[in-house]
Amino acid sequence: MKIYGEKRLMTTEPEHIKAILATQFDNFEKGPVTFDQFHSLLGLGVFNSDGERWKTHRNLTRPFFSRNRISDFDNFERHSEDTISVIKTRLGQGYPIEFQDVVARFTLDSATEFLFGKDVGSLGANLPYPEGSPLANDPSILNHLSNVFVRAFMQGQIQTAFRARFGKMWPLKEIWSDKVLPHRRQVDEFVNPILEERRKQHLAMAATEKAGDDGEGETFLDDLIKHTADNQVIKDELVNILVAGRDTTASLLTFCIYVLTERPDITERLRCEIMEKVGPNARPTYKIISEMKFLRAFINETLRLYPAVPFNGRTTKNPVVFPRTETQPAYYVPAGVKCQYSVFLMHRRADLWGPDVLEFDPDRFLDERLQKYLTPNPFIFLPFNAGPRICLGQQFAYNETSYFLIKFLQAFTDFQIAWDVQPESSRPPVSWKPAPGTTKGRDKVLHAAHLTMNVKEALWVRMKDASTI
Ligand code: HEM
């Protein structure tokens, strides 16, 4: 493609994506155009870096994903319990739950506790009420600091994704003002006090000579404070990991529950496995979660059909050749071409996954289809990317999602979309008829994407307290 004079290529070929991410990694970069587009939001953090700066950030970040740290189930327990409790209270008042919002709070509180050592208490702010209810626009809810943060964080991502549509011409759309920066400033206002408080504690600790302890109790923030005196660098890194850690897992959990509203049979199978392995009230352990094969297959199947990062791209630094495949000739790609790839579309290719590719069926990760399709060709399933820039939070995300789903399904069952309050604009047009090879006409809600994929607008859900069934 040529968009405003910029050369671009779009692929859904596993061999091409393998070349981009792994085998020809050194010939690709995020590149200067992407850097400019993302700079107002992500600054110089890990997501927005190439070359040596990326290596430095990656090395700085990696130790925080050690097995001990990502298996801190006390963190997940506290925030799952808080989430279940606010849901029960709201259901008790007779309202449905905006599920996409509540899980974004769960992942925000878990991620901030993991990163800062202290959560931002977003679950403590009031949950939204459906449009049309007397409390829907209550200023004390809208202006709660963590709700302001959440809105700014989302708007920053929407505006950033908008820039990407215009390639290198995007500054023409923002000649008079940077449309992302005000949102990033609001995000920073939220992070500033946390950072300042921690810096003061470090100074106090240094005065009593307790600093320098590299123990497991240290947070990511502690390490960054020791690493640099530049608050901007620290804030950039924190915002990067928040983008990485919060919206992705919230997207996954949202689509998990969307699927359960459609598939009571799967809810039942999940609950059976939970009752068998964990019981109705107990806490899951790392070992038990690793034995829950159906739960993992369910999560993977959700990531296949609804990958949190549906589109991505890299730019060629040097000319490259994509190898010939069974269906495609070899391609020569000059330097400076933006190569976009979509795992969303690749995950939905019948020639790679079989004729039932569009069916939601977790068993494809358990039965003979696994050996037939995925095992010989692992690059057909890439929700977390691959190669040297593979997601650092993959195991954290599997642990967090599994833990939450177990607790949630111990507490609730019988999930239904609350169509009486679900926004009209979130529903597919009635003119959409089922079309072969797509889920058009079958999807009950529209998907949208800024940097990550979500249900357009909201996902209002009703559910029953499992203890009353
Ligand atoms: C379902 C959950 C998640 C999904 C689907 C996911 C997916 C991804 C993908 C596709 C990338 C590559 C992005 C790119 O090309 O720049 C990525 C990178 C990354 N992810 Fe995740 N992620 C998830 C959760 C998390 C969590 C919970 C964390 C941290 C708490 C995290 C931390 C990171 C980091 C630090 C990177 C940057 C790696 C680099 O550029 O070297 N992710 N993730």
Side-chain angles (χ1 to χ4, degrees), residues 30 54 58 65 244-245 248 312 314 383-385 389 391 393 396:
K30 293 211 168 177
W54 164 71
R58 178 112 186 160
F65 294 91
T248 47
N312 210 330
R314 299 284 191 267
F384 296 99
N385 256 10
R389 285 193 92 144
C391 172
F396 180 90

Side-chain angles (χ1 to χ4, degrees), residues 215-228:
E216 288 281 306
E218 286 217 331
T219 63
F220 187 44
L221 177 58
D222 290 320
D223 208 52
L224 291 173
I225 288 175
K226 282 187 193 167
H227 181 79
T228 174

Side-chain angles (χ1 to χ4, degrees), residues 21 25 30 38 42 45-49 54-55 57-59 61-62 64-65 70 107 110-111 114-115 220 237 240-253 299 303 306-314 341 343 382-398 400-401 451-452:
L21 297 178
F25 177 78
K30 293 211 168 177
F38 282 69
L42 299 178
V46 63
F47 264 123
N48 206 25
S49 298
W54 164 71
K55 274 190 197 149
H57 283 284
R58 178 112 186 160
N59 289 337
T61 316
R62 194 188 294 110
F64 285 89
F65 294 91
I70 60 167
T107 54
S110 311
F114 178 63
L115 300 172
F220 187 44
E237 201 66 292
N240 276 254
I241 308 287
L242 275 181
V243 170
R246 170 185 178 260
D247 292 30
T248 47
T249 316
S251 161
L252 170 58
L253 283 170
I299 293 172
L303 284 167
Y306 309 101
V309 185
F311 293 92
N312 210 330
R314 299 284 191 267
Y341 59 92
V343 299
L382 296 178
F384 296 99
N385 256 10
R389 285 193 92 144
I390 193 169
C391 172
L392 271 170
Q394 177 172 348
Q395 283 315 319
F396 180 90
Y398 273 125
E400 183 179 24
T401 305
L451 306 186
T452 50

Side-chain angles (χ1 to χ4, degrees), residues 285-325:
T285 61
Y286 184 82
K287 183 166 177 300
I288 290 177
I289 288 179
S290 66
E291 287 163 5
M292 298 181 71
K293 303 280 179 256
F294 187 69
L295 176 66
R296 177 57 72 98
F298 168 71
I299 293 172
N300 279 338
E301 182 67 343
T302 310
L303 284 167
R304 183 181 72 83
L305 282 175
Y306 309 101
V309 185
F311 293 92
N312 210 330
R314 299 284 191 267
T315 301
T316 44
K317 269 199 308 193
N318 307 306
V320 298
V321 175
F322 284 147
R324 177 201 306 271
T325 68

